[in-house]
Structure formats: C-alpha cells, structure tokens
Amino acid sequence: MKKALITGITGQDGSYLAELLLSKEYKVYGLTRRTSTVNNERIAHIQDKIELVQGDLLDQSSLASALMETEPDEVYNLAAQSFVKTSWNQPVLTGEFTALGVTRILEAIRVVNPKIKFYQASSSEMFGKVTESPQKETTRFHPRSPYGVAKVYGHYITVNYRESYGIFACSGILFNHESPRRGLEFVTRKISHAAARISLGRQEKLHLGSLQPKRDWGFAGDYVEAMWLMLQQKEADDYVVATGENHSVRDFVESAFKFVGIKEWEKHVVANRQEHLRPAEVDYLVGDYTKAKRILGWEPKTSFKELVEMMVKADLELERRNNK
C-alpha cells in the first residue's frame, strides 16, 4: 500500500486529492496545524479513512517529525496562505508560508528520506503581467502580488532541490480551479453563493471589484488527478494544468445568475467597489496544457458552464438546508 502525506488536506484541493488517493488504495495522511478552532468540514465525510498528523510549515522540526512518523512515498504540498488579496495585508506571513514553507518541507525530505516524491502547488498567478498568451511552462514569470512572488520562490526552490539533490520534485502550475468546496472569500464562490441567496430572496446585492479580469477556470476535482499523474512518471518535471479557455468575472456572474433564472443580473451587482480592487491586477490568464496532455495523458473533463452550474446548485442546496 502506497502512503501519501498531504499538507493543506482540509482545503479545497486537499479534500479532493485525499478522495482520489483513497480510491487508489493509498494510506492517506494529512498535515494539520494545531489551532483553537478546527475546520475539518471538507474532509468530514472521509475523516475515518485518513489519519491526521500535527505539523506546521513554519516549524522545520515538526515537518521532519511528520515525515518520520508517516514514512510517505509521496508528499503533496498544497498548504499556503492562498488568498491573493490577503497577501497585500500580510506579505511577510505569506512569504513565510507560501515561499519558505516549501523550502522547509524539501529540506525535511532531503534529510529524512530523499527518495520521497514531492509535489509543489505552483500557480498561474506567477505569470501575472503576462508576456505571451497562452501561458506555458516556458513563459516568463512577472507576478503582480506578494502571493504570486512567494509562489515563484516556491516553484524555483522545487526546481533547485530537483537539480541539486536529485529529489523527485514536481511543480504543477495550476490555473484557477474552483468547486463547491471553494472558500466564500474567493470571487467565484462569492458569486455562486450570492446568486443562490438572491434567487431565494435572502440577499439583495452582490459587491465585487472589477468585472473585467479574465481567468482560465477549471474544476478542482479534475486538477488533482494531474497532481497524482505527475508523481507517477519516470522523470520529475513541471506542468501547466489548465483548460485552454478563459472567461471574465462578468461571464461568471452572467452564467451564475442565468442558472437561477435571473436575466437582469446588473440590478443586483455593484462592481468596482474600492475595497475589492487589488493594488495591481492580473488581467488576462489562459493556460496551454499541451505538455500535460502529451506526457501525462491528462485533460480537463468539466466545462466552464458545468463548473458554474455545479457551484450554484450546491449553494442552493446549502441555503435550503440552512433554512430548515
């Protein structure tokens, strides 16, 4: 039985990846921080099938202890300060978790067992102010947020440990991926949740920043399969994971409100609210997943329309349950 350790297991991607690995008969461990309030909501349905171990990306010795305790074949680093807007308010903390946290895990692997395979969650936010479209593995990085900058560090330290120590270390450059398990602070879930509530008469307005930025949005459940496939190859490498299509925030709003039967969505949306605007915006992201398709045999299964409808449907069900 293969063993895997997932950091960030209680997050969106961690929960989907844990489900996938369990379906492949892995023994799954999840690294969790000791906090006063535990949020295991996303993994509640599989909690009896996985094992949680304590550790923190800010604490080197706890990571080494977790590796010695679990003896994993594979480590998936999905933990980070992952909310872009927060990275301007907490740039140093973002760097500690999202950049140096990667080094701490890689260094723990190097010392404890350099044969462990390692996956690093890189991000399309690294491309930032894009120099070419679509973006691929060789596109120059120009991050536009402290989060993006920290992810670039995490990406290159992964490459460095692969080249310096021969560790099987891969980075997946994942473009935006969403699901009903997305946190309410993220714009896609904010939209789907508001569309559900407005259609049920429980909310009047949806406040957003700019409706213009375009993103390549896919389904998180599809993308975790690409993570797993990367660690099954003979050679470690880096891959863009995307859909090859992009849609504006406006498109997402329109699709969400259309699904609940609201045609005149403009009456309910207040855009360009100053508190939701970023100091520097990433305007246009679209990924080229040709390499992932050619080498991993991976491609997205869920369309943009299916993704939006899945999220709104889940939020409608959530609201109806909460009203009982």
Side-chain angles (χ1 to χ4, degrees):
M1 180 183 279
K2 271 189 174 181
K3 294 191 283 185
L5 175 65
I6 303 171
T7 75
I9 195 168
T10 59
Q12 169 188 258
D13 292 8
S15 64
Y16 281 112
L17 179 62
E19 286 175 352
L20 176 72
L21 295 178
L22 286 170
S23 75
K24 297 183 182 299
E25 300 188 339
Y26 275 64
K27 171 67 178 172
V28 177
Y29 297 93
L31 190 81
T32 59
R33 282 190 296 152
R34 174 75 183 91
T35 57
S36 54
T37 54
V38 180
N39 182 11
N40 290 348
E41 184 184 338
R42 295 183 184 93
I43 56 169
H45 62 296
I46 54 170
Q47 202 156 343
D48 59 336
K49 298 174 185 171
I50 63 177
E51 194 171 317
L52 300 179
V53 293
Q54 282 191 7
D56 196 312
L57 290 187
L58 302 186
D59 182 17
Q60 180 82 42
S61 63
S62 73
L63 298 174
S65 296
L67 291 179
M68 287 187 279
E69 181 184 337
T70 60
E71 299 181 328
D73 301 286
E74 300 168 359
V75 170
Y76 295 85
N77 182 37
L78 310 184
Q81 190 301 97
S82 61
F83 190 39
V84 176
K85 186 170 182 281
T86 297
S87 75
W88 275 285
N89 299 329
Q90 299 181 319
V92 175
L93 187 68
T94 298
E96 286 287 352
F97 274 115
T98 309
L100 291 176
V102 188
T103 312
R104 294 187 187 103
I105 298 177
L106 284 164
E107 186 61 13
I109 288 171
R110 185 184 74 80
V111 172
V112 174
N113 179 8
K115 289 186 175 149
I116 294 170
K117 292 184 173 183
F118 176 74
Y119 171 83
Q120 165 60 13
S122 286
S123 167
S124 59
E125 287 285 329
M126 301 189 305
F127 295 120
K129 192 174 181 179
V130 299
T131 55
E132 65 175 347
S133 285
Q135 294 88 52
K136 48 186 183 285
E137 292 80 6
T138 54
T139 301
R140 187 168 80 82
F141 297 140
H142 187 146
R144 299 267 282 170
S145 66
Y147 169 78
V149 173
K151 279 292 185 183
V152 170
Y153 176 98
H155 179 83
Y156 277 126
I157 202 69
T158 301
V159 173
N160 186 258
Y161 269 68
R162 180 169 72 219
E163 294 177 352
S164 301
Y165 301 115
I167 291 172
F168 193 108
C170 299
S171 280
I173 307 173
L174 271 58
F175 279 66
N176 293 62
H177 46 290
E178 317 298 319
S179 77
R181 298 179 194 174
R182 197 48 141 158
L184 284 166
E185 70 273 23
F186 290 87
V187 67
T188 50
R189 181 72 196 290
K190 190 176 180 182
I191 293 166
S192 66
H193 191 239
R197 285 178 57 79
I198 289 168
S199 73
L200 295 171
R202 296 179 193 169
Q203 185 173 326
E204 286 188 16
K205 299 288 182 183
L206 165 60
H207 297 277
L208 295 171
S210 175
L211 300 181
Q212 305 314 313
K214 291 191 167 185
R215 294 289 185 274
D216 185 328
W217 275 303
F219 172 48
D222 293 345
Y223 284 29
V224 296
E225 185 184 12
M227 300 176 188
W228 174 76
L229 284 167
M230 287 177 212
L231 298 196
Q232 312 314 308
Q233 305 307 305
K234 288 183 179 177
E235 301 287 334
D237 208 345
D238 308 319
Y239 299 87
V240 162
V241 179
T243 70
E245 297 178 12
N246 74 352
H247 299 269
S248 65
V249 176
R250 178 185 292 272
D251 294 337
F252 205 105
V253 172
E254 207 168 282
S255 296
F257 278 84
K258 184 179 178 183
F259 183 69
V260 293
I262 300 174
K263 289 181 181 176
E264 296 180 326
W265 59 267
E266 293 94 339
K267 291 181 178 178
H268 301 281
V269 176
V270 182
N272 295 310
R273 288 285 294 238
Q274 194 60 40
E275 66 269 28
H276 299 304
L277 297 174
R278 298 175 176 181
E281 184 56 84
V282 176
D283 296 315
Y284 189 94
L285 291 175
V286 60
D288 179 353
Y289 66 92
T290 302
K291 182 178 174 183
K293 185 177 181 180
R294 176 169 51 85
I295 297 174
L296 306 179
W298 179 89
E299 53 188 326
K301 300 183 181 82
T302 309
S303 71
F304 175 74
K305 182 174 180 283
E306 288 168 338
L307 173 65
V308 177
E309 292 181 358
M310 175 200 308
M311 292 178 69
V312 177
K313 187 178 177 184
D315 277 323
L316 282 168
E317 289 170 3
L318 177 70
E319 282 298 309
R320 284 168 182 147
R321 275 201 311 274
N322 288 346
N323 202 38
K324 283 182 180 178

